[in-house]
């Protein structure tokens, strides 16, 4: 098979959670641009529909659904609707996530009193785990359920599940909130277990682990706070935060047959952050 032919996903279908903005929207755009039929899901259903409409206006096949990934029934309904519309599901991106608060260090280089473990609000912990870890479980669970039916529905066996993890699963980041770090570490190991179990069904499970990307996570605090953007730029060995379009080629690799021998991989795309910060954070 020719190299570029392995990236061909025309005629396949993809569901993306958290697809109304940021990395999730980049995934949805990537899938549509490569010829897949896409369902954009998001807790903000109106925003998801706006983006799906924009893709349709550009000539792509896209639909939208409101979905709160912390609720299993929402996720199940989204996959059922997608499978009915597109005769199964070939690709699923378990992407939806949020950051409920800063870490113990501020971008300006000082201790953050609200981010200390001994005073951290439990509600923020529960909310983060509910979306960032439980939401991934719900999405992978329902994707696996539908993908096991693919051969009967479409004649294509298996599928590809891609989870958005984080370099926070691998390294300590003082600026990032503690529940986000814990959730992403859990996501990494859950991904490996899911890949181990689902390989027998031809379902591949991998994770993309982004580093500092400019997105709307944390209520878009990096976009709103020049000091935060500057701090991340200075910490990164490549000297800059990434834009979401830069994640698209990796997403296509893992979603397509180009990644057909990849499962259980936790792929870093973080500008070298796993190598360590250029400027150490000290009191």
């Amino acid at each position: 098979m020719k190299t570029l032919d392995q990236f061909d996903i025309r005629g396949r279908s993809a569901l993306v959670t958290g697809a109304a903005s940021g990395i999730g929207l980049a995934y949805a755009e990537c899938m549509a641009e490569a010829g897949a039929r896409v369902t954009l899901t998001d807790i903000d259903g109106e925003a998801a529909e706006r983006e799906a409409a924009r893709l349709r206006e550009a000539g792509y096949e896209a639909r939208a659904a409101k979905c709160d990934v912390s609720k299993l029934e929402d996720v199940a309904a989204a996959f059922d609707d997608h499978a009915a519309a597109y005769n199964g599901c070939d690709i699923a991106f378990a992407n939806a996530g949020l950051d409920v608060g800063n870490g113990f260090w501020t971008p300006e280089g000082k201790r953050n009193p609200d981010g200390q473990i001994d005073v951290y609000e439990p509600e923020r912990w529960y909310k983060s785990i509910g979306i960032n870890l439980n939401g991934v479980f719900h999405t992978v669970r329902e994707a696996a359920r539908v993908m096991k039916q693919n051969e009967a529905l479409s004649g294509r066996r298996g599928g590809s599940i891609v989870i958005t993890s984080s370099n926070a699963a691998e390294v300590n980041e003082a600026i990032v909130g503690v529940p986000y770090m814990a959730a992403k570490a859990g996501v990494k190991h859950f991904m490996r277990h899911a890949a181990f179990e689902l390989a027998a069904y031809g379902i591949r499970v991998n994770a993309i682990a982004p580093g500092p990307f400019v997105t709307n996570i944390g209520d878009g605090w990096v976009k709103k706070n020049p000091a935060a953007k500057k701090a991340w730029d200075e910490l990164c060995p490549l000297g800059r935060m990434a834009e979401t379009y830069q994640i698209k080629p990796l997403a296509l690799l893992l979603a397509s047959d180009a990644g057909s021998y990849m499962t259980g991989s936790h792929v870093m795309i973080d500008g070298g952050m796993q190598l360590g910060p250029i400027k150490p954070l000290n009191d």
Side-chain angles (χ1 to χ4, degrees), residues 6 9 20 38 70 99-100 108-109 150 166-167 172 207 214 222 230 259 270-271:
Q6 296 179 72
I9 58 171
V38 186
S70 70
D99 186 4
V100 295
E108 293 78 18
N150 276 347
S166 170
N167 69 335
N172 294 324
V214 179
V222 169
K230 184 173 184 291
D270 70 345

Side-chain angles (χ1 to χ4, degrees), residues 121-205:
E121 296 176 4
E123 291 75 17
R124 291 162 66 191
W125 174 277
Y126 302 142
K127 184 176 181 179
S128 180
I129 297 299
I131 298 292
N132 294 319
L133 185 54
N134 296 347
V136 168
F137 164 67
H138 293 160
T139 306
V140 174
R141 180 185 191 273
E142 295 307 302
R145 174 178 63 84
V146 171
M147 287 178 178
K148 285 181 179 181
Q149 305 170 40
N150 276 347
E151 192 165 12
L153 291 171
S154 66
R156 288 191 294 270
R157 179 174 180 267
S160 174
I161 300 172
V162 182
I163 300 170
T164 301
S165 178
S166 170
N167 69 335
E170 301 273 4
V171 299
N172 294 324
E173 291 181 334
I175 296 174
V176 176
V178 61
Y180 186 87
M181 305 284 290
K184 293 302 185 179
V187 160
K188 178 187 176 183
H189 202 66
F190 170 69
M191 175 275 298
R192 290 170 56 84
H193 180 88
F196 197 28
E197 175 183 335
L198 296 174
Y201 301 95
I203 300 171
R204 299 184 295 108
V205 188

Side-chain angles (χ1 to χ4, degrees), residues 60-127:
Y60 305 120
E61 190 168 350
R63 57 194 297 278
K66 178 179 173 62
C67 180
D68 179 350
V69 296
S70 70
K71 298 176 179 178
L72 179 59
E73 60 270 22
D74 275 23
V75 181
F79 273 98
D80 285 342
D81 290 347
H82 176 93
Y86 295 136
N87 208 27
C89 181
D90 302 295
I91 303 158
F93 285 88
N95 167 74
L98 83 169
D99 186 4
V100 295
N102 297 336
F104 66 84
W105 201 266
T106 70
E108 293 78 18
K110 297 181 180 180
R111 288 274 174 178
N112 176 18
D114 294 333
Q116 311 294 305
I117 289 174
D118 54 313
V119 298
Y120 207 89
E121 296 176 4
E123 291 75 17
R124 291 162 66 191
W125 174 277
Y126 302 142
K127 184 176 181 179

